[in-house]
Amino acid sequence: MRDYLKKRPMLLCAILSSVVSVITMYAEKMLFIVCTVVLGFIFIMIYKRVKGEIIFAFICVLAVALSCFFTTVKIDSLRNFDRTNCDGEFVIIENPTNHGEYYSTTAETLQSDTLSKGDKIKLNIYKENLSYGDKFKARLSISSLDNYEHKDSFYAKNIFVSGYITKMTEKTGKEMVLSVIGAVRNYVKNCFFDNFQFSRAATALALITGDKTYFTDEFYSNVKSAGVAHIMVVSGMHLSIVVSLFLYLIDKFLYNRYLRAGVIFAVSVFLMAICGFTMSILRAGITYMILALSLIIKRQSTPENTLGCAVVIILLTNPFAIFSIGFLLSVLSTFSILVVAVPVTRVLTRKRIFNNWAVKAILGSVIISFCALIFTAPVTIYTFGYISNVSLATNLLLSAASSVALVLCISGLVLPFLQPFLFWVAEFILAFINNVINDFGSLPFATTSLPKWSAYILTSVIIIILWVLLACKKRKDMLKLEEIRKIKAKERSKKIICQ
């Protein structure tokens, strides 16, 4: 394990940075000790002349710790304004969600006598007619989030205060960038609801933009029970399909690494904006941006290092992002595929245990789904209190179907002249996805309730699995090295005999 992490310093950095963020949330007073310890390690490694990559990784950990410190200072300063009024100009940066008597959304401060520019507010709207991208002047009554049961989920979005409008002054227009994003979102939404049956349009919208506001409570409950909530969270799988689609079209006409890098960067930023810069799509988008940068500078990195680098960049800007469920599910499922599923599949393929291509494809899907299920199970159990018993079956049935539906829907959006045919085919696949979710998610044995402490046991099991796999790899590498030495020794002896 130690050798594995030494060769992947940014993955080590991501793990340590995550630990620092958790300590900050639950033991804020320990942060000074953590910073001191990390700084001490950096000086010792410089004195011992440790590899520069490891020193850089620990410097990044220290930077995350400092980001945690400044964030806690900001939260403490905002506590001073608990239950006070705040006058200023704000902008709506999230589609308002209907809760019957009121709407909830997120607003960002443009200018204020109390809050700083860029501060986000969990805003409840009762009578005012506000939509995505609207700028407005108003007086807000703001409160801290200390008494909220799930304040960590708001901290994960960089939201540290809540509020509601006590006096609306005026609307001051639309924010230009947000209005463009809103127009694109409306175009996507209108296309789907004009061409698909309502429940299928809602599923298509969730697949493309991650917007689940049109799900019924029953269907969303079935989504979670069926263990396919990650399919409705736009992340690496979705972004890889979209990027691959655009790269395929580009490569048909012209191959150029700068063009490829530009396409990857542009598509990643655009999809992140359309999805509202959620943590899961941010992780995937930053990963692809690092990939685009590696194409330009002609420098390759291990996938684990790239994943770790993306996590560290996010934690530097938002140290509490680690408490986002979508972010955790995205990172853990990706990590499980890279570290366990891919190597195991390669070993089975090289051993030629299964020669039939269809069997290999099914086996690969089973391994990937099983690994993702195991590695994300601790988060699911700790958050929701249960684990899905049908997740493996539903993921096998829907992994390919959701990918095909995603490609068809996006192709229909960007190719209007083929839209009727592509959407006609996509509707059958969306109907299949909904039927699988409803049929499996509504089964009486679909889930099993588990106590929170079982999440810690499962985490220990995962660590043991990783340790065993890495030990097997190390043993294999040692045997290969020994074999190479024997071959070289034989060659040397042959030369001596010949002489």
Side-chain angles (χ1 to χ4, degrees):
M1 182 71 79
R2 184 178 62 184
D3 293 337
Y4 176 82
L5 291 175
K6 276 185 179 180
K7 294 177 182 178
R8 294 157 180 83
M10 292 312 297
L11 178 62
L12 173 63
C13 179
I15 294 170
L16 294 177
S17 298
S18 301
V19 172
V20 171
S21 296
V22 173
I23 290 173
T24 304
M25 175 64 77
Y26 296 109
E28 187 179 319
K29 294 179 180 179
M30 291 283 292
L31 189 56
F32 177 76
I33 298 174
V34 170
C35 290
T36 305
V37 170
V38 174
L39 190 61
F41 267 109
I42 291 172
F43 282 118
I44 291 171
M45 285 186 291
I46 293 173
Y47 177 75
K48 294 286 187 180
R49 296 183 179 179
V50 178
K51 281 185 178 181
E53 294 89 343
I54 304 295
I55 296 175
F56 176 75
F58 272 82
I59 290 173
C60 289
V61 174
L62 181 61
V64 171
L66 291 174
S67 178
C68 289
F69 171 75
F70 288 120
T71 303
T72 54
V73 169
K74 184 178 186 61
I75 293 171
D76 286 337
S77 67
L78 289 173
R79 287 192 180 107
N80 296 327
F81 303 109
D82 187 30
R83 302 181 187 282
T84 61
N85 290 326
C86 165
D87 293 311
E89 185 177 12
F90 311 91
V91 59
I92 303 295
I93 61 171
E94 182 182 53
N95 279 325
T97 303
N98 189 352
H99 296 283
E101 295 181 355
Y102 68 97
Y103 286 82
S104 66
T105 185
T106 303
E108 185 175 297
T109 306
L110 297 177
Q111 57 181 11
S112 170
D113 60 347
T114 302
L115 302 175
S116 302
K117 184 178 180 180
D119 283 350
K120 295 179 181 178
I121 310 137
K122 176 189 173 292
L123 187 66
N124 292 333
I125 303 171
Y126 292 94
K127 299 178 181 179
E128 300 77 17
N129 183 22
L130 294 171
S131 58
Y132 183 79
D134 280 346
K135 294 194 293 184
F136 63 98
K137 290 182 179 179
R139 172 172 291 180
L140 308 182
S141 175
I142 58 174
S143 305
S144 71
L145 297 174
D146 288 339
N147 296 325
Y148 276 71
E149 184 179 357
H150 301 291
K151 72 173 184 179
D152 51 356
S153 63
F154 293 110
Y155 280 17
K157 300 176 184 178
N158 258 339
I159 301 173
F160 307 122
V161 291
S162 65
Y164 60 91
I165 300 173
T166 58
K167 182 182 179 182
M168 182 79 171
T169 307
E170 62 174 327
K171 286 186 182 180
T172 55
K174 286 272 190 181
E175 205 281 330
M176 186 175 65
V177 175
L178 294 181
S179 62
V180 172
I181 294 172
V184 174
R185 285 182 175 180
N186 286 330
Y187 167 73
V188 173
K189 182 179 71 172
N190 292 335
C191 276
F192 289 161
F193 282 98
D194 288 343
N195 291 277
F196 297 142
Q197 188 260 346
F198 185 87
S199 61
R200 298 164 193 171
T203 301
L205 194 63
L207 285 173
I208 303 298
T209 67
D211 185 358
K212 297 179 282 291
T213 55
Y214 294 95
F215 282 176
T216 63
D217 292 339
E218 181 184 2
F219 182 74
Y220 192 45
S221 175
N222 288 338
V223 166
K224 292 188 288 186
S225 298
V228 292
H230 61 283
I231 293 178
M232 304 301 173
V233 175
V234 184
S235 59
M237 180 193 76
H238 303 75
L239 188 57
S240 65
I241 293 170
V242 178
V243 169
S244 299
L245 179 62
F246 278 90
L247 288 180
Y248 173 78
L249 296 174
I250 290 295
D251 291 344
K252 281 291 183 180
F253 302 99
L254 176 67
Y255 178 85
N256 182 285
R257 78 172 189 270
Y258 296 105
L259 182 61
R260 288 175 65 87
V263 169
I264 292 171
F265 188 87
V267 171
S268 299
V269 172
F270 180 76
L271 195 58
M272 284 191 292
I274 294 302
C275 296
F277 294 99
T278 57
M279 287 296 109
S280 56
I281 191 60
L282 267 178
R283 195 278 309 164
I286 292 173
T287 302
Y288 270 92
M289 288 179 186
I290 296 171
L291 174 62
L293 181 62
S294 68
L295 285 174
I296 294 173
I297 64 177
K298 292 184 177 180
R299 184 169 180 176
Q300 298 295 323
S301 178
T302 60
E304 298 97 319
N305 252 345
T306 304
L307 176 64
C309 187
V311 171
V312 172
I313 290 172
I314 290 174
L315 292 180
L316 281 170
T317 57
N318 179 9
F320 295 125
I322 194 68
F323 294 97
S324 168
I325 303 302
F327 177 70
L328 283 174
L329 294 177
S330 175
V331 171
L332 291 174
S333 59
T334 304
F335 181 74
S336 70
I337 292 169
L338 294 175
V339 179
V340 182
V342 172
V344 170
T345 305
R346 283 177 180 171
V347 169
L348 294 176
T349 303
R350 287 172 184 170
K351 295 288 185 181
R352 296 183 179 179
I353 298 174
F354 303 100
N355 294 322
N356 188 286
W357 67 269
V359 175
K360 287 181 181 178
I362 295 172
L363 181 66
S365 298
V366 170
I367 293 172
I368 288 172
S369 299
F370 182 73
C371 290
L373 172 65
I374 293 298
F375 275 69
T376 57
V379 177
T380 305
I381 294 169
Y382 189 84
T383 306
F384 304 118
Y386 62 80
I387 190 170
S388 174
N389 299 321
V390 296
S391 177
L392 186 60
T394 51
N395 276 277
L396 288 173
L397 289 169
L398 296 184
S399 58
S402 59
S403 299
V404 174
L406 190 67
V407 171
L408 289 172
C409 289
I410 292 173
S411 300
L413 291 170
V414 299
L415 301 171
F417 58 94
L418 291 176
Q419 190 178 94
F421 172 73
L422 294 172
F423 280 2
W424 177 75
V425 178
E427 183 152 21
F428 288 102
I429 300 173
L430 291 168
F432 171 75
I433 292 172
N434 284 356
N435 288 335
V436 169
I437 291 172
N438 285 323
D439 291 343
F440 281 84
S442 60
L443 291 172
F445 56 85
T447 60
T448 298
S449 298
L450 293 171
K452 282 190 175 182
W453 55 261
S454 60
Y456 301 112
I457 295 176
L458 193 53
T459 302
S460 303
V461 171
I462 291 170
I463 294 172
I464 292 170
I465 291 172
L466 289 173
W467 206 289
V468 169
L469 286 173
L470 294 174
C472 290
K473 186 178 184 303
K474 187 175 181 180
R475 174 65 178 168
K476 185 179 178 182
D477 292 340
M478 289 171 64
L479 291 173
K480 279 185 178 180
L481 183 61
E482 186 65 29
E483 188 177 345
I484 291 170
R485 286 174 180 171
K486 287 180 180 179
I487 292 171
K488 287 183 177 180
K490 286 181 181 179
E491 289 176 352
R492 283 195 299 269
S493 63
K494 285 180 182 179
K495 287 180 180 179
I496 293 171
I497 292 170
C498 292
Q499 290 174 355

